[in-house]
């Protein structure tokens, strides 16, 4: 067991694993990391005085991480992070999603409009400046405005030099840090394996261990002649990085130290039992049941028709990703009795509030409880709106024409009619490319109702008092938003007076009613209660930190031990801040786990497992002939392990979450041994409660990545760019 608590008198020492740490403050973790196997200093990971590992890590696109692996700006990330760019360049003639793509030289590398990467230049603690004079009694609005104004003021000098600045709250707004980024805009697609490698196992294997997905893709950063960021230009040159990662093919053993440098998106480790209960009993279950129904319809249609499969595969993957994760989360939260252990903790907290040092916080828990009670009904309405009302895609599509309508009738003067019309044209082209009205109609019909706990059904929305069947005939038989032909006619014949067509359109009418209801009757209350909760959570967080500092661990230990799991690193010097899509360091070790009684998982998978999973009749498990051939000939070059196996993926105890995808996984020497891409299903509650026994991050073995680039794709020129440490056994 890792993460065990050693109880020594009133001191508790928690053994690593949990936590996502701020690179700027890594001094506090340095000793522990070194004890676990790090051969570097904190300064080698994050420094502003000389180049450090952080200079090789980028925010990739809008929500992933990537790493630079050559002196010519070569970047590795996940296949699922490069997916949009790969899809963008794919067509029937060049189906890179299906067949993969490898640029044979720099000229063949494909520009990706809109794709950016961000390098972190510096982190600054600006808590003092931001929070000066802002106390808890200030109205939330005033506080927000002041913080915004102060952030802006601090950002201006950096922005003037061309940097991008983000000020981010930490510990629910008890601390503030500023992040200064350099944004590169000319990013080109260099290579990607076919989907049957990059997405092997598909949604079936998603969130699962044992895993065999070759989830990587390759890009390159281009810069102007001064190595500075510049928009795409044919004359731009490969970016010369401050730092790039060395790749280590010598592998790892179970128990070896690893760390992950990347951009975890969001966690909520310090919320109250009231909030956890809402997630576990309301939010997740409502979303899961709505998506179960939606996926059933989509999957059936995808199985019936190859065209639908292509149209809906990305959509289905997105819907299924959350659906599956939440199921794991609910299970994990219940198994760990997180609500119960939080309640125990809250009893201790409330006791502490009776004393002098906790006085300030005496009201915070009762007030949080009340705020969540008030929020709850609106939260239900919000989920119904998101997961039921908006499940048929034509609804939000119709609503996106509101601005065209408003410009045409003159209530919106911010756009010209041409601009509004043009953007509707583009929107419509994108929409109908991947739209099947029959599928949408079936979704509407099913999701118009909610399944109650007892299996009965409630109608979600009553529209114009007619039967659902009539409504559906009308929406899907008459509306311009459910037929490409009707839409094209509308757009071709568009005149200013055509707003009347919109006003008569059944789907447009319906969309305006449901959005109107949501925006006027639900959203404002959500905003009010969330603002209240934000403010209370800030105070509660401050209280939890003070309680911890007060060193009154006697009763906390009791809780930790009683529930057999530590409470959010309760024993370490301090809490780590929740993830907020800023760069963090997570560290742990390579380690398998026991998902269930009598079941034990090894820490890595191999190519042999891909052959075992192969099924030519199931889309997700098709294996390419070339890969089978390499396997048959054991043609692994330097990429095999000492046992002669070809490793594919491995698991470890690094605390990661969504956004960490594509993050470099480094060994004690700071060399690249893997690319993070997922977590295990049993451990997805780590966003709320980390369990060292059950939570694992899933990483692509860098040896499989290079094997595919080299032996499968023959892209030797990319291998030649990299700095690679080969294993001793390979001459
Ligand atoms: N579960 C991973 C993450 O949350 C991978 C998702 C992409 N893969 C998929 N089969 N949907 O991002
Ligand atoms: N698959 C996730 C991502 O894309 C990673 C995770 O949730 O662990 O960031």
């Amino acid at each position: 067991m890792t993460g065990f608590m050693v109880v020594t008198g009133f001191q508790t020492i928690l053994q690593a694993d949990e936590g996502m740490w701020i690179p700027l403050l890594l001094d506090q973790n340095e000793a522990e990391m070194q004890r676990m196997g790090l051969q570097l200093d904190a300064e080698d990971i994050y420094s502003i005085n000389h180049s450090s590992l952080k200079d090789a890590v980028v925010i990739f696109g809008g929500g992933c991480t990537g790493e630079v692996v050559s002196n010519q700006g070569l970047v590795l990330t996940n296949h699922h992070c490069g997916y949009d760019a790969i899809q963008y360049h794919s067509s029937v003639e060049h189906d890179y999603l299906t067949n993969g793509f490898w640029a044979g030289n720099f000229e063949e590398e494909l520009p990706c409009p809109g794709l950016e990467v961000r390098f972190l230049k510096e982190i600054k603690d600006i808590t003092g400046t931001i929070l000066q004079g802002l106390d808890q009694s200030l109205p939330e609005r005033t506080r927000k405005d002041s913080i915004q104004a102060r952030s802006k003021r601090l950002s201006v000098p950096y922005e003037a030099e061309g940097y991008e600045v983000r000020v981010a709250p930490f510990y629910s707004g008890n601390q503030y840090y500023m992040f200064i980024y350099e944004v590169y805009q000319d990013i080109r697609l260099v290579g990607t394996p076919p989907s049957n490698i990059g997405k092997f196992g598909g949604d079936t294997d998603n969130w699962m261990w044992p895993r065999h997905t070759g989830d990587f893709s390759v890009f390159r950063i281009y810069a102007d002649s001064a190595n500075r960021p510049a928009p795409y230009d044919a004359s731009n040159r490969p970016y010369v990085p401050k730092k790039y990662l060395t790749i280590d093919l010598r592998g790892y053993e179970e128990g070896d130290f690893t760390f992950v440098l990347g951009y975890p998106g969001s966690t909520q480790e310090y919320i109250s039992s009231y909030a956890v209960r809402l997630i576990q009993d309301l939010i997740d279950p409502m979303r899961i049941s709505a998506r179960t129904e939606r996926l059933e319809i989509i999957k059936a249609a995808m199985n019936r028709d190859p065209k639908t499969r292509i149209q809906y595969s990305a959509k289905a993957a997105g819907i299924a990703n959350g659906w599956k994760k939440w199921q794991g989360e609910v299970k994990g939260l219940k198994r760990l009795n997180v609500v119960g252990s939080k309640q125990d903790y809250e009893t201790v907290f409330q006791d502490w509030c009776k004393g002098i040092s906790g006085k300030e916080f005496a009201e915070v828990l009762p007030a949080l409880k009340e705020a969540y009670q008030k929020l709850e009904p609106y939260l239900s309405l919000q989920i119904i709106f998101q997961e039921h009302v908006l499940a048929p895609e034509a609804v939000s599509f119709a609503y996106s024409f509101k601005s065209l309508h408003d410009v045409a009738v003159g209530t919106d003067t911010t756009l010209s009619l041409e601009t509004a019309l043009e953007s509707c044209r583009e929107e419509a082209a994108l929409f109908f490319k991947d739209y099947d009205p029959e599928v949408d109609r079936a979704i509407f019909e099913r999701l118009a109702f909610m399944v109650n706990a007892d299996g009965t059904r409630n109608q979600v929305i009553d529209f114009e008092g007619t039967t659902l069947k009539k409504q559906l005939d009308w929406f899907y038989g008459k509306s311009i938003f459910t037929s490409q032909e009707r839409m094209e006619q509308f757009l071709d014949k568009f005149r200013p007076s055509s707003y009347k067509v919109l006003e008569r359109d059944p789907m447009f009418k319906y969309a305006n009613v449901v959005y109107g209801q949501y925006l006027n009757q639900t959203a404002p209350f959500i905003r009010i209660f969330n603002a209240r909760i934000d403010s209370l959570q800030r105070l509660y967080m401050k209280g939890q930190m003070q309680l911890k500092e007060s060193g009154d661990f006697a009763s906390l230990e009791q809780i930790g031990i009683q529930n057999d799991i530590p409470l959010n690193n309760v024993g370490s010097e301090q809490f780590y801040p929740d993830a907020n899509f800023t760069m963090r360091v997570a560290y742990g070790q390579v380690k398998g786990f026991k998902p269930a009684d009598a079941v034990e998982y090894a820490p890595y998978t191999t190519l042999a497992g891909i052959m075992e999973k192969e099924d030519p009749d199931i889309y997700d498990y098709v294996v390419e002939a070339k890969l089978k051939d390499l396997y048959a000939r054991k043609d692994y070059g330097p990429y095999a392990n000492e046992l002669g196996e070809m490793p594919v993926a491995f698991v470890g105890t690094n605390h990661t979450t969504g956004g960490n995808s594509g993050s470099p996984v480094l060994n004690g020497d700071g060399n690249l041994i893997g690319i993070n891409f997922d977590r295990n299903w049993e451990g997805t509650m780590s966003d709320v409660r980390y369990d060292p026994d059950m939570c694992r991050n899933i990483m692509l073995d860098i040896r499989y990545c290079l094997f595919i680039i080299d032996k499968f794709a023959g892209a030797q020129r990319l291998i030649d760019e990299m700095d690679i440490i080969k294993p001793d056994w390979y001459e």
Side-chain angles (χ1 to χ4, degrees):
M1 184 175 118
T2 59
F4 53 87
M5 300 179 79
V6 184
V7 182
T8 47
F10 283 143
Q11 279 221 332
T12 313
I13 301 160
L14 187 84
Q15 156 98 23
D17 299 336
E18 177 173 4
M20 311 168 159
W21 306 93
I22 307 177
L24 177 67
L25 308 180
L26 213 55
D27 278 350
Q28 72 195 27
N29 305 86
E30 188 183 53
E32 185 184 40
M33 291 174 81
Q34 290 172 344
R35 198 165 62 238
M36 291 174 69
L38 178 68
Q39 306 292 322
L40 311 172
D41 297 333
E43 270 275 306
D44 299 322
I45 299 173
Y46 177 90
S47 171
I48 51 164
N49 300 316
H50 52 80
S51 72
S52 55
L53 290 172
K54 72 115 168 89
D55 296 317
V57 179
V58 295
I59 297 179
F60 186 89
C64 279
T65 307
E67 53 275 1
V68 183
V69 292
S70 93
N71 206 22
Q72 303 179 79
L74 200 65
V75 170
L76 294 178
T77 188
N78 291 146
H79 183 266
H80 79 261
C81 295
Y83 201 84
D84 285 346
I86 303 166
Q87 184 171 44
Y88 172 83
H89 287 294
S90 294
S91 59
V92 181
E93 302 83 58
H94 303 285
D95 189 351
Y96 300 144
L97 277 175
T98 306
N99 305 318
F101 165 76
W102 300 95
N105 49 47
F106 289 117
E107 287 69 41
E108 285 177 19
E109 298 179 357
L110 301 170
C112 305
L115 182 59
E116 297 175 335
V117 306
R118 285 165 169 72
F119 284 96
L120 175 61
K121 183 177 142 63
E122 192 175 352
I123 308 175
K124 282 177 179 296
D125 182 353
I126 52 168
T127 307
T129 319
I130 291 286
L131 291 184
Q132 193 179 21
L134 303 184
D135 62 30
Q136 187 70 21
S137 62
L138 225 57
E140 206 54 19
R141 191 68 251 163
T142 319
R143 185 190 147 96
K144 269 215 177 89
D145 291 346
S146 307
I147 290 176
Q148 222 167 40
R150 291 170 187 194
S151 303
K152 187 73 209 156
R153 214 169 46 239
L154 291 172
S155 308
V156 166
Y158 297 99
E159 287 170 352
E161 286 183 61
Y163 294 110
E164 186 181 279
V165 178
R166 179 175 166 219
V167 171
F170 283 67
Y171 299 105
S172 307
N174 283 286
Q175 295 178 15
Y176 279 83
Y177 289 82
M178 180 159 81
F179 295 80
I180 301 152
Y181 297 108
E182 191 160 34
V183 185
Y184 281 81
Q185 301 146 302
D186 185 354
I187 312 301
R188 303 187 195 170
L189 176 62
V190 173
T192 174
S195 290
N196 58 30
I197 290 174
K199 210 175 179 293
F200 183 78
D203 284 330
T204 319
D205 281 12
N206 189 24
W207 297 114
M208 303 296 263
W209 184 257
R211 188 69 157 276
H212 299 85
T213 313
D215 198 345
F216 80 95
S217 55
V218 190
F219 289 81
R220 192 187 305 279
I221 305 166
Y222 280 77
D224 69 12
S225 55
N227 207 35
R228 296 277 305 158
Y232 169 76
D233 192 295
S235 70
N236 284 345
R237 308 187 313 198
Y239 167 71
V240 181
K242 284 199 204 63
K243 174 93 186 169
Y244 64 93
L245 301 177
T246 298
I247 293 168
D248 197 334
L249 300 181
R250 289 172 304 180
Y252 43 77
E253 276 170 30
E254 184 151 24
D256 278 0
F257 175 76
T258 55
F259 67 108
V260 174
L261 208 51
Y263 284 86
S266 147
T267 59
Q268 339 178 48
E269 312 283 347
Y270 308 105
I271 50 178
S272 61
S273 62
Y274 319 116
V276 179
R277 196 194 61 72
L278 272 187
I279 295 172
Q280 172 190 293
D281 295 344
L282 182 89
I283 301 174
D284 284 359
M286 279 182 75
R287 287 168 165 171
I288 293 164
S289 79
R291 290 191 181 198
T292 303
E293 312 233 349
R294 183 145 55 127
L295 282 167
E296 234 173 71
I297 294 164
I298 295 176
K299 288 265 155 81
M302 283 170 72
N303 284 338
R304 266 198 309 274
D305 179 1
K307 181 169 167 239
T308 315
R309 206 197 50 236
I310 295 168
Q311 285 183 320
Y312 279 76
S313 75
K315 294 179 196 174
I319 299 166
N321 197 43
W323 171 78
K324 195 158 178 184
K325 180 191 147 172
W326 298 322
Q327 293 176 57
E329 183 170 80
V330 169
K331 226 180 142 184
L333 292 174
K334 286 187 175 163
R335 183 176 60 75
L336 295 172
N337 186 20
V338 176
V339 171
S341 70
K342 291 255 182 201
Q343 282 168 343
D344 291 348
Y345 173 80
E346 284 157 12
T347 308
V348 174
F349 186 91
Q350 211 55 46
D351 269 357
W352 173 69
C353 292
K354 290 184 188 134
I356 181 86
S357 55
K359 209 171 84 233
E360 183 190 349
F361 310 101
E363 291 309 316
V364 72
L365 279 169
L368 267 172
K369 181 176 180 178
E370 192 192 322
Y372 278 111
Q373 269 166 359
K374 288 190 171 148
L375 175 69
E376 183 166 341
Y378 296 101
L379 211 49
S380 297
L381 290 172
Q382 185 180 45
I383 299 170
I384 292 170
F385 180 68
Q386 294 166 336
E387 301 286 339
H388 286 261
V389 177
L390 297 188
E393 293 174 272
V395 182
S396 53
F397 175 50
Y399 194 68
S400 73
F401 277 52
K402 187 174 184 319
S403 85
L404 177 65
H405 170 270
D406 292 355
V407 170
V409 295
T411 51
D412 181 348
T413 52
T414 57
L415 300 176
S416 75
L417 194 58
E418 280 69 49
T419 317
L421 187 60
E422 194 41 44
S423 95
C424 284
R425 278 215 168 85
E426 282 167 22
E427 179 109 9
L430 279 178
F431 180 83
F432 284 109
K433 176 174 167 287
D434 290 333
Y435 181 71
D436 180 338
E438 301 235 341
V439 175
D440 210 44
R441 180 182 171 131
I443 289 175
F444 198 120
E445 186 166 8
R446 186 90 69 92
L447 273 293
F449 297 93
M450 266 182 62
V451 186
N452 302 317
D454 60 3
T456 57
R457 290 178 163 246
N458 275 2
Q459 192 160 345
V460 168
I461 245 154
D462 182 20
F463 182 60
E464 303 205 340
T466 140
T467 65
L468 183 63
K469 163 96 175 54
K470 267 211 184 113
Q471 254 184 59
L472 290 170
D473 288 345
W474 199 31
F475 290 158
Y476 291 91
K478 296 272 187 310
S479 168
I480 59 169
F481 297 101
T482 55
S483 147
Q484 184 154 22
E485 217 186 300
R486 289 192 291 267
M487 175 56 76
E488 273 164 8
Q489 263 185 24
F490 168 78
L491 290 171
D492 290 347
K493 292 197 308 208
F494 190 85
R495 286 177 294 132
S497 63
S498 296
Y499 73 85
K500 289 186 202 142
V501 179
L502 285 175
E503 286 179 359
R504 279 194 307 266
D505 188 278
M507 190 55 95
F508 190 74
K509 272 203 233 176
Y510 174 77
N512 277 285
V513 169
V514 293
Y515 269 91
Q517 277 179 6
Y518 175 74
L519 293 174
N520 297 317
Q521 295 165 28
T522 306
F525 294 98
I526 302 247
R527 263 199 305 280
I528 291 168
F529 296 126
N530 272 341
R532 173 96 181 118
I533 287 168
D534 284 351
S535 152
L536 290 167
Q537 182 63 30
R538 188 167 63 242
L539 186 62
Y540 181 43
M541 187 74 233
K542 184 176 167 198
Q544 294 183 70
M545 290 163 88
Q546 282 189 17
L547 169 57
K548 190 181 190 72
E549 269 163 35
S550 75
D552 180 19
F553 286 139
S555 36
L556 290 184
E557 263 172 16
Q558 252 171 4
I559 297 165
I561 290 161
Q562 196 170 300
N563 291 287
D564 202 30
I565 36 155
L567 266 168
N568 300 317
N569 234 0
V570 81
S572 76
E573 294 279 300
Q574 57 174 301
F575 292 121
Y576 58 89
D578 270 319
N580 55 2
F581 206 59
T582 61
M583 189 191 277
R584 299 297 176 88
V585 179
Y587 53 94
Q589 41 191 189
V590 177
K591 203 170 172 57
F593 64 105
K594 297 179 177 171
D597 188 32
V599 183
E600 196 161 352
Y601 284 151
Y604 71 94
T605 59
T606 69
L607 192 53
I610 294 183
M611 303 306 149
E612 284 170 12
K613 281 182 178 172
E614 186 199 3
D615 186 337
D617 297 330
I618 300 178
Y619 182 78
D620 288 339
Y621 295 104
V622 174
V623 180
E624 204 114 332
K626 174 112 195 246
L627 193 57
K628 284 200 267 193
D629 179 53
L630 289 165
Y631 174 70
R633 290 191 289 111
K634 302 272 171 287
D635 183 5
Y636 302 152
Y639 309 112
N641 66 15
E642 263 173 315
L643 304 172
E645 303 163 323
M646 184 64 245
V648 172
F650 62 117
V651 280
T653 58
N654 310 285
H655 188 181
T656 55
T657 187
N660 266 124
S661 272
S663 300
V665 181
L666 305 154
N667 62 13
D669 298 325
N671 294 329
L672 188 68
I673 58 169
I675 306 176
N676 191 75
F677 70 96
D678 211 1
R679 276 170 290 160
N680 62 329
W681 190 74
E682 299 85 350
T684 48
M685 73 297 174
S686 65
D687 290 346
V688 178
R689 169 65 56 83
Y690 186 88
D691 173 9
D693 285 339
M694 207 60 102
C695 294
R696 293 294 178 271
N697 67 318
I698 304 182
M699 304 161 272
L700 175 69
D701 195 304
I702 202 67
R703 291 171 291 188
Y704 186 58
C705 171
L706 264 56
F707 162 75
I708 295 295
I709 294 176
D710 182 345
K711 297 284 179 177
F712 178 83
Q716 186 66 44
R717 71 168 188 118
L718 302 180
I719 303 287
D720 292 343
E721 278 183 47
M722 303 179 198
D723 268 3
I724 297 173
I725 304 173
K726 297 206 169 110
D728 300 333
W729 58 259
Y730 189 80
E731 67 291 340

